[in-house]
Amino acid sequence: MKPSLLRPPQQACLLFVLVLLAYLPGFSGGWLWDDDQLITLNPLVTEPSGLWQTWFNNTSLDYFPVTTTTFWLEYRLWGEWAPGYHAVNILLHAVNTLLVWRILGRLGVPGAWLAALLWGIHPVTVASVVWVAERKNTLSMLLGCLSVLGWMRFEDSGARRWYAWALVCFVVALLAKTSLVTLPLMLPVLSWWRRGTVSRIDLVRTVPFIAVAFALGLVTIWYQLGHGSGESRGELATVIDLFGRGGVLAGRAVAFYLWKDLWPTRLAMVYGRWTLAPTRPSAYLPTILMIGIIAGLWWARAHQWARGGLFAAMIFVLALLPILGFLPASYMVDHAYVADHWQYLALVAPVALAVAAGERLLSWSSVRWIVASCAVLILGGLSFRHAAIHRTSMDLWMHNVAVSDVWESHVGLSRALANEGKRTEAIRAARKAIACNEKQPLAWVDLGELLVAEGQFGEAASAYTRGFELGGGDTFLHIAGIAASRGGEVTKGEALFASAAVRMPGNARVLIDWGLALDRLNRPTEAALRYRAALGLEPDNVAAINALAFLIATRPGVEGEQSAATTAEALALAKRACQITGDSDAALLDTLATALAAAGEFAAAVETAEKALELAESRGEPALAEEIRGHRDLFRAGLPYRQP
């Protein structure tokens, strides 16, 4: 099928418009899954200095500076307005569809226009197009297509500027996403398809591409192992351990992707996690079968059908190679071994092969038109519906729960419900996530946050502690201590703070909270030590200054006999805290009033307490206002406030 009555510019416009129509629901989409972490909550995007840090001081999970730069620029245009980002992603995908048409046409693939259209409206591409975080897919493919076109122009003309163009586009594509790292291996395959042979000079020309791919591939592996974002998940040598996983996974994953290409239903954001058994010889059979099929096609390559099948198979497998399990990928560790967005580029090969086969096998043009029209309507309709599912987190995760009942689905649904204020349903979904996989720390932490919001502090502390025990991070110990203390289990909270302080010795906030718990347990001397330790780490920490000032002012003799010196220190600390905050915090002003009263300056204490009370009432803090009012009444009576 090809609109032969139209000129090429008109064909291009029709192709572009049809893709946009299929993705029409995506223009009004919101933020999904980790979009907030990568964009709206990412200082590399939101801060003016983020642009420099993106390139030269990047501590994120991946090093994709070109993609992050586009987010940084767009944030200056429309801030947190999600439709703007969605529009750019969809437009990039539409442009990619035009480039795919151009490449397939230059390769002489029968039905190139239809193949490009079916790729552009295929439901498998939805995950890459309407999920803003996958901008790296649409952007890197655009640059990769430009590189391929430059390579073919160089081969046809010999003009070195086209070789330079291809290399530069490839470098920028890798900086958008390194999944195109296998493109240097595809280039000789393209040359073989076009000329029937690959010369030594063809291979030599790929050397600069391979060198760049190797260098930036190592950078990505370094980041995937955790070195870029802090604590490492392992040394580079551990990559060797992945060969067993890849040997088992490769054939199975390729078969999965081909099935989704042929029958694109029950698509999910996150699929179930497969059980792999590298120690079982039979587990390698799918990969062995895949290699055997490719070898058979190579052996029969003299036949036109085998040559076309071999070309498509090689491009498909090479495009998927980085995510077949042989290389570290945090997504595989945390979620699943397969994902729709991973075959955004690879999908071109089977679609082009299917269309070319149809062009050859369906001899009647009317039959070809009917089949092609049905394919366009079915795939376009499925993509339209699937894009609509991605408009809100609620719709997305409800769909995912229905088609793939995994813990991530319930966590996503729980968060969506919590955002709508449906905390009871959110807690239920969080518990289902734990039932699906009780060893996921994230599910426990999400449950803890929801329980805190419901005032169930004791159970929340247990959930946070469980999250820590499962490897969720030392911070969870600190949060568990806060929850336990808020729930009245101060002894338990103090013990958790003590453990957290050992694991995070440079964290002033942990020391402050530990001190507050000790103070509540009537151990003020120990509390004062923790506050002073926090100030040793952060001398201008207002919370530590205030806590120490209030403790000294309200517990006479906590660090020895009460004296003018200790009273003066409390007053000096309180004044310093208020100075740092510009007298804008009612609680700090209350501490200053308390310190003034301890020093016998009751008139000043009453005046300061009145200011604190007025500020608390104006800011809608009734509990604090009531506490300040009680202190003020004592000061009016000429009495200092003493803790019981």
Side-chain angles (χ1 to χ4, degrees):
M1 176 185 179
K2 179 180 177 180
S4 55
L5 297 179
L6 302 177
R7 294 190 299 272
Q10 295 171 320
Q11 294 175 27
C13 288
L14 179 60
L15 192 61
F16 195 85
V17 169
L18 288 175
V19 172
L20 295 185
L21 287 175
Y23 281 93
L24 202 57
F27 282 96
S28 59
W31 301 115
L32 302 173
W33 206 359
D34 60 348
D35 281 343
D36 55 350
Q37 296 179 23
L38 293 176
I39 303 169
T40 60
L41 300 179
N42 186 357
L44 296 180
V45 173
T46 61
E47 297 296 328
S49 61
L51 185 60
W52 183 88
Q53 293 178 346
T54 291
W55 287 89
F56 305 109
N57 188 30
N58 194 322
T59 57
S60 60
L61 296 177
D62 287 302
Y63 185 70
F64 299 146
V66 169
T67 298
T68 308
T69 296
T70 66
F71 290 146
W72 187 91
L73 292 171
E74 287 177 69
Y75 193 82
R76 267 75 225 156
L77 293 175
W78 32 69
E80 297 185 6
W81 188 58
Y85 300 85
H86 283 290
V88 172
N89 235 26
I90 295 170
L91 291 172
L92 284 172
H93 177 64
V95 172
N96 287 341
T97 305
L98 297 178
L99 294 175
V100 168
W101 172 42
R102 179 66 173 162
I103 290 172
L104 294 178
R106 296 202 58 157
L107 291 173
V109 175
W113 188 90
L114 176 61
L117 174 60
L118 294 183
W119 175 81
I121 63 173
H122 198 289
V124 164
T125 64
V126 169
S128 294
V129 180
V130 299
W131 182 10
V132 177
E134 285 309 310
R135 165 71 55 77
K136 48 187 177 283
N137 270 353
T138 55
L139 184 59
S140 64
M141 181 156 183
L142 182 145
L143 294 161
C145 287
L146 292 176
S147 179
V148 169
L149 287 170
W151 175 268
M152 290 192 291
R153 288 289 296 270
F154 168 69
E155 285 192 324
D156 293 340
S157 67
R160 293 182 179 179
R161 68 178 183 276
W162 290 113
Y163 180 84
W165 168 267
L167 183 58
V168 169
C169 287
F170 175 61
V171 172
V172 182
L174 292 183
L175 292 173
K177 186 180 182 181
T178 45
S179 60
L180 279 174
V181 72
T182 54
L183 183 62
L185 304 180
M186 299 182 205
L187 296 178
V189 177
L190 296 175
S191 301
W192 169 77
W193 172 256
R194 300 181 76 204
R195 300 197 308 269
T197 184
V198 179
S199 65
R200 193 179 81 169
I201 190 63
D202 291 327
L203 299 178
V204 171
R205 287 167 177 165
T206 64
V207 171
F209 290 80
I210 293 173
V212 171
F214 182 76
L216 291 179
L218 287 180
V219 171
T220 297
I221 291 174
W222 189 72
Y223 270 81
Q224 285 292 314
L225 289 174
H227 294 284
S229 57
E231 185 177 352
S232 172
R233 288 188 290 271
E235 297 301 325
L236 195 59
T238 59
V239 174
I240 299 173
D241 299 333
L242 299 174
F243 284 115
R245 184 183 74 177
V248 173
L249 178 61
R252 189 173 176 181
V254 167
F256 172 87
Y257 289 128
L258 284 174
W259 173 246
K260 289 299 180 183
D261 298 344
L262 177 65
W263 197 259
T265 60
R266 297 183 66 81
L267 301 177
M269 178 68 91
V270 184
Y271 292 101
R273 189 174 180 83
W274 299 338
T275 300
L276 303 180
T279 58
R280 290 174 49 194
S282 60
Y284 295 86
L285 289 178
T287 302
I288 294 172
L289 178 61
M290 178 189 71
I291 295 172
I293 291 173
I294 295 175
L297 291 171
W298 173 260
W299 179 78
R301 67 187 182 280
H303 301 280
Q304 188 177 28
W305 62 268
R307 187 169 182 266
L310 176 63
F311 176 60
M314 292 176 70
I315 295 297
F316 188 65
V317 173
L318 286 173
L320 291 173
L321 189 59
I323 45 85
L324 290 182
F326 296 103
L327 296 174
S330 57
Y331 188 94
M332 287 188 178
V333 175
D334 299 331
H335 303 294
Y337 291 120
V338 291
D340 289 342
H341 64 274
W342 278 345
Q343 64 156 330
Y344 182 67
L345 167 63
L347 177 65
V348 175
V351 169
L353 179 63
V355 171
E359 288 280 335
R360 298 297 188 190
L361 296 176
L362 300 176
S363 56
W364 292 354
S365 60
S366 58
V367 175
R368 289 201 299 268
W369 268 93
I370 292 173
V371 172
S373 298
C374 289
V376 170
L377 289 174
I378 291 172
L379 292 179
L382 289 173
S383 289
F384 189 93
R385 186 181 68 176
H386 202 44
I389 289 171
H390 286 69
R391 280 188 296 191
T392 68
S393 292
M394 182 71 75
D395 291 338
L396 174 65
W397 293 116
M398 287 184 68
H399 168 77
N400 214 101
V401 166
V403 302
S404 181
D405 190 20
V406 295
W407 72 270
E408 293 96 334
S409 303
H410 294 289
V411 165
L413 181 58
S414 174
R415 293 179 177 180
L417 288 165
N419 288 336
E420 293 189 1
K422 301 176 180 178
R423 284 201 293 267
T424 301
E425 294 92 333
I427 290 174
R428 190 179 303 120
R431 294 190 189 280
K432 286 183 179 179
I434 292 171
C436 288
N437 189 342
E438 63 178 13
K439 294 184 178 180
Q440 280 295 334
L442 184 61
W444 286 100
V445 173
D446 275 21
L447 176 61
E449 291 178 357
L450 291 167
L451 292 170
V452 165
E454 286 291 287
Q456 301 177 36
F457 299 110
E459 192 175 352
S462 298
Y464 286 130
T465 303
R466 182 59 177 153
F468 162 75
E469 292 170 349
L470 292 170
D474 297 336
T475 304
F476 296 158
L477 268 182
H478 180 202
I479 301 173
I482 294 172
S485 296
R486 289 184 64 185
E489 299 180 75
V490 185
T491 301
K492 179 180 178 180
E494 188 273 329
L496 289 167
F497 290 137
S499 298
V502 172
R503 302 185 68 89
M504 297 185 288
N507 192 311
R509 186 67 250 183
V510 172
L511 292 170
I512 296 167
D513 289 333
W514 188 9
L516 293 172
L518 289 166
D519 194 6
R520 290 179 63 185
L521 292 171
N522 201 27
R523 294 156 63 182
T525 302
E526 296 174 69
L529 290 174
R530 304 303 178 272
Y531 297 148
R532 293 192 185 279
L535 288 173
L537 294 171
E538 299 179 12
D540 292 329
N541 189 302
V542 172
I545 295 171
N546 183 65
L548 182 59
F550 194 79
L551 179 68
I552 295 174
T554 59
R555 287 186 180 271
V558 64
E559 295 181 305
E561 289 297 321
Q562 184 77 358
S563 65
T566 56
T567 301
E569 182 187 11
L571 186 56
L573 287 168
K575 288 180 177 179
R576 183 176 165 208
C578 290
Q579 182 181 16
I580 292 173
T581 57
D583 291 340
S584 61
D585 190 308
L588 301 184
L589 286 170
D590 179 49
T591 298
L592 176 57
T594 303
L596 287 166
E601 301 179 29
F602 293 107
V606 170
E607 182 182 353
T608 305
E610 291 284 4
K611 291 180 181 178
L613 180 60
E614 181 181 351
L615 188 58
E617 289 177 338
S618 67
R619 295 189 175 180
E621 300 175 292
L624 178 59
E626 184 62 28
E627 182 180 354
I628 295 171
R629 193 175 290 109
H631 296 168
R632 180 203 59 187
D633 293 342
L634 281 174
F635 306 154
R636 280 178 173 174
L639 298 172
Y641 172 72
R642 300 290 186 229
Q643 291 195 63

